[in-house]
Amino acid sequence: MLLLGIDTSGKNASAALFDSDSETFLAQTTLYTQKTHSQVIMPIVKDILAQAGKEMSDIGGIAVANGPGSYTGLRIGVAAVKALSFGLGVKCCGVSTLLGLACSNLAYKGHICSIMSARGDLVYTCTYKSDGFCVEQVTEEQIISKNELAEYLAFNVGEALLCGDGAADFFNEFRSPVFTIAPPQSRLQNAAGVCLAGISRKLGEPDALEVSYLQKVKAEKDLEDKNANKN
């Protein structure tokens, strides 16, 4: 099956084509962009299809990073995948951005800690265990402070590979010989990791695809605060 992967969860806009039968990436593009993801993601998809000599009709399924991450970016990616899935008549699935990051680094044998920047001193994080071929989730996906994460890793994990857009700041703040930071090419969110995570997921109908924020959006928080103040 030809699986299209899309990730718009952070600064990167990324798309990849993965042939699950031969376990080969036919094409992939990751663009670190200041533009809105809606401006670049579909041109990237069309470009990698052209470069691989494939047509839209060749796509057998689609996987997309559905959170956590940028509220706007996630909505754009999920909406694009829903439109593609409906239009092509193919099924799709949402993949945790944190799992996608771990899968991008699955060649590492040991604990992998995905860290994404949230608000203030908070990070989205999840820890996995890799045997070099697949990853197993060790903790729940959560949003916690950097100090809480550092304490957890120190007392429960020890050596770990750090990845994600919050990994560099965490690594620099809590320097330790037991921490290794992922190399630049696999440190940030990308569609290749989404494909690798997506091949083990059951594809479903596009109307069931939703965004998973891990925390309430600002508008919801503001409304709750407003209602609380009234009471």
Side-chain angles (χ1 to χ4, degrees):
M1 181 183 71
L2 186 63
L3 181 68
L4 170 66
I6 288 177
D7 193 315
T8 55
S9 62
K11 291 291 186 180
N12 285 345
S14 182
L17 284 176
F18 184 70
D19 184 340
S20 62
D21 295 327
S22 62
E23 295 188 336
T24 302
F25 280 100
L26 303 184
Q28 54 183 307
T29 294
T30 298
L31 179 65
Y32 190 86
T33 178
Q34 299 298 321
K35 294 182 179 179
T36 304
H37 287 307
S38 59
Q39 296 177 273
V40 297
I41 192 60
M42 287 311 300
I44 289 176
V45 170
K46 293 177 181 177
D47 180 65
I48 62 171
L49 283 166
Q51 293 296 328
K54 301 293 183 181
E55 303 290 338
M56 284 284 190
S57 57
D58 294 321
I59 296 173
I62 310 175
V64 61
N66 69 335
S70 160
Y71 299 138
T72 302
L74 291 172
R75 288 197 297 269
I76 290 170
V78 167
V81 168
K82 281 190 171 186
L84 282 171
S85 296
F86 277 121
L88 298 174
V90 300
K91 294 185 177 181
C92 60
C93 68
V95 171
S96 163
T97 316
L98 297 167
L99 176 59
L101 280 163
C103 287
S104 291
N105 294 278
L106 59 77
Y108 178 85
K109 293 183 179 181
H111 285 94
I112 301 173
C113 183
S114 299
I115 308 171
M116 293 174 57
S117 299
R119 290 185 180 138
D121 192 49
L122 300 177
V123 293
Y124 303 110
T125 186
C126 188
T127 301
Y128 304 85
K129 185 71 176 292
S130 172
D131 62 4
F133 297 95
C134 61
V135 296
E136 177 184 357
Q137 187 171 333
V138 175
T139 66
E140 295 295 322
E141 295 186 353
Q142 53 193 326
I143 177 168
I144 58 178
S145 70
K146 293 178 185 178
N147 286 332
E148 288 175 303
L149 176 58
E151 182 177 341
Y152 167 76
L153 294 176
F155 288 101
N156 298 278
V157 174
E159 294 185 1
L161 177 75
L162 310 179
C163 58
D165 59 25
D169 285 343
F170 183 87
F171 180 77
N172 290 330
E173 188 171 343
F174 300 95
R175 284 192 176 273
S176 169
V178 300
F179 292 156
T180 301
I181 190 166
Q185 70 270 21
S186 59
R187 187 181 307 164
L188 301 183
Q189 299 93 294
N190 64 78
V194 170
C195 284
L196 293 175
I199 57 175
S200 62
R201 291 290 184 272
K202 182 178 180 180
L203 299 177
E205 298 300 328
D207 53 4
L209 181 62
E210 296 180 350
V211 176
S212 175
Y213 293 118
L214 276 193
Q215 66 170 325
K216 296 174 182 176
V217 297
K218 185 176 184 301
E220 291 176 315
K221 289 183 177 181
D222 289 345
L223 180 60
E224 287 185 356
D225 291 342
K226 183 177 181 181
N227 291 335
N229 291 332
K230 285 182 178 179
N231 296 330

